[in-house]
């Protein structure tokens, strides 16, 4: 695209993750890992260092809590959540960590043993872990994410997802027209059958922005454009509009985009949020859709929708091999099911690490001056696979510093338990 020789590797997830999982070169993996885990930190250009921004945000949040008469920002945050106190959240997380730890230690021991005996790696490093994990998964379950990806073509996945929504909620999803911010963005409408008429009643509308591109914020999310509202200034009800954003790779040439199964799960997750917002019948804008919902309950519809991605009857409708047109073979599906909880101990502890760091950061006054110390203490307490000392994940932890999850990141695990 830039008219240069060779290939350009970026730190966007659709590029970073396959490289860190599949690149044979340890040097290349280390280069990308170091760059990825030190983003926006003191190791790079000063104008991109988030250190002082994090300190300022935490200090201002503590000041806000003090003005409102609360001991910490975590206490303020939890007023509108299901959890009753920071102590209840930390007790929940630590209890979950105790339960998960034996499984995470088993996962890590298997990984180190496989790296040593099968790949000749006696010094497993952080940039090796995703690569060795992928090799172990392939050896144990005889399939790879790249093999599965050939079956999840974007048009078929969307057709299957929309068909499921139409069946479950007795609505219709149709293409619609609206100005968009990029040529790859699409716009749709959701209709419910009108009583005694063939004309559908408009329920809501949504933008779908699926592909990674230069300059686009990474990750995946759903947000409201407007909420359902019985407006006092006009006759009738304002219908909700949402935007659903993903970052999977666009198709190459005339081929459709191919999604990993994780991409499919992410898409269903965000549509769970979207359905929560668009299918509401509440007409008070303050509590319609996703508005006014306890933050630790807001992940429940999204995580509920993820379950459908594992149902054989639906998986058949979601898959259409990019070359042969065949649905996913049952034998490959069975391997995916067998691998579903692969390294779930490690993944659970990783989420607890993020959640406990977030809660401690916002529950302990003065944490703005000891951010790295809190990271280190949490890792010593719960992690079985401690990252290198140069790792600065907190500098790009946008969920809690810019995304509304401050003292709320635990809600993913909370909703999962629900």
């Amino acid at each position: 695209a830039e008219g240069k020789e060779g290939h350009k590797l970026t730190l966007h997830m659709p590029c970073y993750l396959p490289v860190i999982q599949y690149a044979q070169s340890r040097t290349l993996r280390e280069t990308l890992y170091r760059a990825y885990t030190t983003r926006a930190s003191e190791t790079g250009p000063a104008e991109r260092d988030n250190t002082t921004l994090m300190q300022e945000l935490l200090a201002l949040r503590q000041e806000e809590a003090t003005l409102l008469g609360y001991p910490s920002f975590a206490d303020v945050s939890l007023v509108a959540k299901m959890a009753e106190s920071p102590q209840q959240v930390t007790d929940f997380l630590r209890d979950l960590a105790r339960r998960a730890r034996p499984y995470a230690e088993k996962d890590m021991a298997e990984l180190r043993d496989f790296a040593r005996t099968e790949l000749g790696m006696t010094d497993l490093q952080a940039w090796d872990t995703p690569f060795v994990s992928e090799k172990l998964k392939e050896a144990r379950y005889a399939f790879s994410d790249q093999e599965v990806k050939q079956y999840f073509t974007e048009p078929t996945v969307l057709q299957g997802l929309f068909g499921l929504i139409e069946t479950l909620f007795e609505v219709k999803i149709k293409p619609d027209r609206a100005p968009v911010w990029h040529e790859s963005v699409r716009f749709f409408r959701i209709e419910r059958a009108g009583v005694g008429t063939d004309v559908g009643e408009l329920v809501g509308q949504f933008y779908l922005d699926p592909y990674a591109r230069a300059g686009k914020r990474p990750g995946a999310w759903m947000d409201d454009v407007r909420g359902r509202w019985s407006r006092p200034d006009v006759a009738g009800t304002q219908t909700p509009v949402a935007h659903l954003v993903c970052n999977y790779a666009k198709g190459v040439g005339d081929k459709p985009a191919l999604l990993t199964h994780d991409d499919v799960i992410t898409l269903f997750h965000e549509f769970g949020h979207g359905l929560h917002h668009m299918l509401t019948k509440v007409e008070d804008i303050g509590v319609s859709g996703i508005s006014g919902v306890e933050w630790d309950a807001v992940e429940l519809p999204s995580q509920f929708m993820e379950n459908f991605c594992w149902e054989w009857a639906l998986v058949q409708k979601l898959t259409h091999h990019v070359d042969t047109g065949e649905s996913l073979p049952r034998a490959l599906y069975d391997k995916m099911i067998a691998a579903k909880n692969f390294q779930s101990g490690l993944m659970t502890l990783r989420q607890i690490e993020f959640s406990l760091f977030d809660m401690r950061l916002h529950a302990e006054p003065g944490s703005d001056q000891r951010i790295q110390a809190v990271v280190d203490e949490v890792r010593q307490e719960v992690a079985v696979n401690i990252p290198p000392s140069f790792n600065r994940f907190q500098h790009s932890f946008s969920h809690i510093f810019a995304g509304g999850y401050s003292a709320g990141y635990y809600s993913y695990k909370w909703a999962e338990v629900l």
Side-chain angles (χ1 to χ4, degrees), residues 332-368:
L332 186 50
Y333 166 80
D334 289 339
K335 292 175 184 176
M336 291 168 62
I337 291 293
K340 184 180 179 184
N341 291 322
F342 178 65
Q343 294 188 344
S344 60
L346 281 173
M347 287 186 281
T348 297
L349 280 195
R350 185 167 177 265
Q351 288 297 302
I352 292 169
E353 179 187 321
F354 293 169
S355 303
L356 192 56
F357 166 67
D358 168 46
M359 188 51 65
R360 283 194 52 186
L361 211 55
H362 290 97
E364 300 174 7
S367 65
D368 57 306

Side-chain angles (χ1 to χ4, degrees), residues 53 86 88 106 112 114 121 140 167 187-188 216 218 232 254 290 301 325 349 367 373 392 403:
L53 285 173
Q88 184 188 19
K106 182 170 175 283
R112 288 199 176 101
F114 182 83
M121 289 185 191
R140 181 175 292 175
T167 302
F187 190 63
F188 297 88
K216 180 180 173 182
D254 59 354
I290 59 171
L349 280 195
S367 65
R392 294 288 184 270

Side-chain angles (χ1 to χ4, degrees), residues 115-392:
R116 185 181 64 257
T117 58
E118 301 299 322
L119 302 174
M121 289 185 191
T122 55
D123 60 332
L124 188 69
Q125 300 293 334
W127 46 89
D128 299 320
T129 303
F131 176 79
V132 177
S133 295
E134 188 62 31
K135 291 290 186 187
L136 174 58
K137 189 171 78 171
E138 289 177 20
R140 181 175 292 175
Y141 304 107
F143 80 96
S144 73
D145 288 342
Q146 294 304 305
E147 180 185 0
V148 172
K149 191 176 181 178
Q150 307 305 309
Y151 289 92
F152 286 104
T153 57
E154 185 194 39
T156 308
V157 170
L158 287 177
Q159 184 180 356
L161 170 60
F162 290 177
L164 172 70
I165 293 168
E166 290 177 343
T167 302
L168 287 176
F169 301 105
E170 298 181 330
V171 294
K172 290 290 182 186
I173 299 176
K174 301 176 179 178
D176 206 350
R177 295 174 66 87
V180 293
W181 53 91
H182 190 268
E183 60 184 12
S184 63
V185 177
R186 284 162 270 175
F187 190 63
F188 297 88
R189 63 192 284 119
I190 302 178
E191 295 179 355
R192 187 175 282 118
V195 180
T197 175
D198 294 332
V199 180
E201 171 199 355
L202 180 63
V203 174
Q205 293 160 298
F206 63 91
Y207 298 88
L208 177 63
D209 184 353
Y211 308 128
R213 60 179 178 269
K216 180 180 173 182
R217 176 183 144 195
W221 66 94
M222 169 269 163
D223 211 344
D224 59 322
V225 177
R226 69 181 192 192
R228 186 177 175 87
W229 182 23
S230 180
R231 294 182 59 144
D233 55 339
V234 293
T237 300
Q238 171 179 288
T239 51
V241 179
H243 61 249
L244 297 119
V245 185
C246 291
N247 261 292
Y248 48 81
K250 195 173 183 180
V252 178
D254 59 354
K255 295 285 182 75
L258 301 178
L259 281 65
T260 65
H261 191 242
D262 281 345
D263 290 333
V264 177
I265 290 172
T266 299
L267 184 64
F268 273 64
H269 178 106
E270 301 309 336
F271 262 90
H273 286 307
L275 294 168
H276 188 181
H277 182 66
M278 292 183 285
L279 299 186
T280 183
K281 294 185 177 180
V282 176
E283 300 204 334
D284 186 319
I285 196 166
V287 286
S288 69
I290 59 171
S291 300
V293 178
E294 296 99 326
W295 201 268
D296 37 12
V298 83
E299 292 298 335
L300 184 55
S302 53
Q303 295 196 156
F304 180 81
M305 283 298 290
E306 291 182 19
N307 294 317
F308 288 104
C309 301
W310 296 98
E311 294 292 325
W312 172 239
L314 184 64
V315 167
Q316 291 173 285
K317 296 177 182 177
L318 294 174
T319 52
H320 183 97
H321 194 281
V322 66
D323 295 322
T324 67
E326 295 176 1
S327 293
L328 189 82
R330 179 69 198 219
L332 186 50
Y333 166 80
D334 289 339
K335 292 175 184 176
M336 291 168 62
I337 291 293
K340 184 180 179 184
N341 291 322
F342 178 65
Q343 294 188 344
S344 60
L346 281 173
M347 287 186 281
T348 297
L349 280 195
R350 185 167 177 265
Q351 288 297 302
I352 292 169
E353 179 187 321
F354 293 169
S355 303
L356 192 56
F357 166 67
D358 168 46
M359 188 51 65
R360 283 194 52 186
L361 211 55
H362 290 97
E364 300 174 7
S367 65
D368 57 306
Q369 296 304 311
R370 55 187 312 271
I371 296 171
Q372 187 62 49
V374 176
V375 173
D376 295 338
E377 290 164 10
V378 168
R379 283 173 175 161
Q380 287 297 327
E381 179 182 353
V382 301
V384 298
N385 184 23
I386 296 177
S389 59
F390 63 75
N391 183 298
R392 294 288 184 270

Side-chain angles (χ1 to χ4, degrees), residues 57 61 217 223 295 397-406 412:
L57 282 165
R61 288 169 184 173
R217 176 183 144 195
D223 211 344
W295 201 268
F397 195 4
S398 57
H399 268 77
I400 70 167
F401 288 111
Y405 280 83
S406 41
Y412 285 102

Side-chain angles (χ1 to χ4, degrees), residues 22-67:
Y22 295 101
Q24 298 287 336
S25 167
R26 289 186 87 182
T27 306
L28 176 58
R29 295 200 304 268
E30 181 181 357
T31 300
L32 250 71
Y33 177 85
R34 283 181 178 273
Y36 188 79
T37 59
T38 56
R39 287 170 300 154
S41 73
E42 74 279 8
T43 62
E47 69 272 13
R48 295 185 185 176
D49 181 4
N50 278 338
T51 303
T52 54
L53 285 173
M54 292 190 296
Q55 292 171 338
E56 187 179 357
L57 282 165
L58 290 170
L60 287 169
R61 288 169 184 173
Q62 181 57 40
E63 183 182 346
E64 179 187 350
T66 304
L67 288 168

